[in-house]
Amino acid sequence: MADTFLRRSKIIELLSEKAGRKISVLEIQKRLKSAGIEATVRTLQRDFIALSADGRIRADGKKPQGWLWVANESWPDALRPNLHTALALYLTREQLSRLLPASSLASLSPLMTAAERVLEEANNPGSLGSWMQRIVVLPWGPPMQPPVIDQTIHEAVTAAVLEGRQLQISYLKLGAKRAENRRVNPLGLIYREQVLYLVALPAANTDDFVWGGEEEDGDLEGAEGPQSDIEVDWDDIRILALHRIRDAKILDVSRIDPPGFNLQAYSRFAFSDEGSDEILLQFRIKISVGLHLEETPLSHDQIIKKGRTWMTVTATVQDNWQLRWWLQSFGSTIEVIAPRFLRLEFVDMAKDLGGYYLRGR
């Protein structure tokens, strides 16, 4: 649906630029392709028929058939969205701007302006125009500011992913003093916790490049993964933070897509520790801070036993770093009971913390 809207918006833009002049379907197809939008002739014919319903465009009735813009209004006015569409466009810019290719954002810019105008005009109680004043999206934990990404690098990376072309990049690893040049096949993008990552494979002529190991801040420079059912060696895949890319150049070389690679499956593994062992977790937590677990349980088999001020929770969970971060976030209001190896980790942590804080009393 979003692809159709964007494509038809671009068609209206192209037609209105040449008001009164015939444009063929093949010419529109060529112009769309140069803007990064692929569409078959059959699809475009359906688009023209749908767009002609309100009389703003019409066919010239000749062979080969051409289409003309006959309305008096300009492109942005012609695309003035209704309230529902305006709200969706506004939310798209606010929540998804980092995920869209730069070319798509540029094409949507006039629509975004029109959407803002529509919402401002309808900003009265009970109207969709006031909806944005009634909802707030908050992060879990302290709000982290997104790292700064050079706009030209963002444009190059998103264009390479969209067009299926290789990239020559200069990448500065966390803690490194000098950036290294890498030629990569961009497989996709992952957006997580305010950070945009490029998922990539080394290009064929960089087999002798030493990529390095994992980074400690969760930015995975390499990840081992299951290979039995996927025809790509997950050891070779790299996740590169866009804000650490110092230079990016699109190459006139087609991307090599590994057979069987699935970005969704890989992202779940890389950031969620999919495939890690399951453990039977048991902990005590103060009722005042743990009551939300009754509404949002850790697992389907979760069991809660309440006391006067504490409650004991038992649940089957994945043994990963995210679990540890979550447990640590409760500080002294939680006590890990089992499994024993995890309890011992927290015992050691408590000893370290005691040393830090008691020293400064």
Side-chain angles (χ1 to χ4, degrees):
M1 182 176 179
D3 290 343
T4 300
F5 181 77
L6 182 60
R7 186 179 64 251
R8 291 181 180 178
S9 300
K10 191 65 177 178
I11 290 173
I12 291 177
E13 177 188 1
L14 295 173
L15 286 172
S16 63
E17 285 177 351
K18 300 180 180 294
R21 291 175 54 192
K22 165 184 171 179
I23 303 180
S24 69
V25 174
L26 290 178
E27 183 180 350
I28 289 290
Q29 185 184 42
K30 182 178 179 181
R31 297 278 298 277
L32 288 174
K33 187 174 183 179
S34 67
I37 301 174
E38 297 280 353
T40 65
V41 170
R42 182 79 173 177
T43 296
L44 293 177
Q45 288 172 339
R46 287 196 293 266
D47 288 340
F48 278 112
I49 292 172
L51 290 171
S52 65
D54 61 7
R56 288 180 295 184
I57 70 170
R58 70 163 183 250
D60 64 357
K62 299 179 180 179
K63 292 186 178 182
Q65 184 170 263
W67 293 85
L68 303 89
W69 179 261
V70 294
N72 293 324
E73 55 194 353
S74 63
W75 173 53
D77 292 332
L79 290 177
R80 180 181 174 85
N82 59 35
L83 269 174
H84 294 282
T85 304
L87 181 61
L89 286 168
Y90 186 88
L91 287 171
T92 296
R93 187 184 66 180
E94 293 297 304
Q95 302 297 328
L96 302 177
S97 59
R98 284 195 161 211
L99 301 183
L100 291 171
S103 57
S104 296
L105 279 177
S107 296
L108 287 172
S109 182
L111 291 174
M112 297 294 189
T113 301
E116 284 185 354
R117 191 160 54 244
V118 168
L119 291 173
E120 287 173 0
E121 292 172 359
N123 188 12
N124 55 281
S127 167
L128 278 175
S130 63
W131 181 253
M132 292 307 300
Q133 300 172 21
R134 304 297 176 184
I135 60 170
V136 175
V137 178
L138 293 176
W140 187 86
M144 307 293 286
Q145 296 301 309
V148 177
I149 300 175
D150 185 281
Q151 185 61 28
T152 58
I153 290 174
H154 183 270
E155 291 175 2
V157 171
T158 55
V161 171
L162 180 66
E163 298 169 13
R165 293 160 67 184
Q166 290 186 1
L167 275 171
Q168 183 73 37
I169 65 173
S170 177
Y171 189 75
L172 184 67
K173 286 182 59 178
L174 184 67
K177 295 182 179 180
R178 185 174 62 182
E180 297 174 327
N181 292 325
R182 306 180 175 190
R183 183 173 173 179
V184 299
N185 290 291
L187 303 180
L189 295 165
I190 296 174
Y191 186 61
R192 181 179 183 275
E193 300 291 343
Q194 302 282 20
V195 179
L196 189 59
Y197 296 95
L198 171 66
V199 180
L201 271 177
N205 67 342
T206 58
D207 288 343
D208 57 345
F209 190 89
V210 179
W211 283 82
E214 296 183 1
E215 296 191 4
E216 294 181 355
D217 68 339
D219 175 8
L220 305 185
E221 283 291 310
E224 296 182 359
Q227 300 159 22
S228 58
D229 58 345
I230 296 183
E231 297 175 355
V232 59
D233 190 343
W234 284 24
D235 293 347
D236 292 336
I237 298 173
R238 297 297 178 263
I239 299 182
L240 309 171
L242 253 67
H243 63 275
R244 296 192 188 126
I245 298 177
R246 295 297 179 259
D247 187 47
K249 179 182 178 182
I250 302 178
L251 303 177
D252 193 19
V253 180
S254 296
R255 174 182 63 217
I256 299 174
D257 284 310
F261 176 74
N262 182 284
L263 180 64
Q264 284 70 32
Y266 179 76
S267 64
R268 288 194 299 270
F269 163 77
F271 286 101
S272 300
D273 287 341
E274 188 174 282
S276 58
D277 294 335
E278 285 189 343
I279 58 173
L280 187 62
L281 175 69
Q282 188 175 67
F283 58 88
R284 290 197 319 143
I285 187 169
K286 285 190 175 180
I287 293 177
S288 57
V289 296
L291 274 177
H292 67 281
L293 292 173
E294 291 183 327
E295 301 172 327
T296 54
L298 289 170
S299 66
H300 294 297
D301 65 352
Q302 175 180 284
I303 298 173
I304 293 177
K305 294 182 179 180
K306 288 183 181 177
R308 293 184 62 184
T309 56
W310 292 77
M311 64 186 198
T312 301
V313 180
T314 305
T316 302
V317 297
Q318 295 287 322
D319 177 24
N320 54 40
W321 58 268
Q322 291 173 306
L323 172 64
R324 286 158 176 78
W325 280 16
W326 182 78
L327 292 169
Q328 290 172 33
S329 70
F330 293 103
S332 62
T333 64
I334 196 170
E335 177 193 2
V336 176
I337 300 173
R340 181 171 174 75
F341 72 85
L342 186 58
R343 177 178 175 85
L344 292 177
E345 285 184 28
F346 276 78
V347 168
D348 291 338
M349 190 187 311
K351 290 178 180 177
D352 291 338
L353 289 172
Y356 303 150
Y357 291 108
L358 292 175
R359 192 166 54 232
R361 289 182 100 174

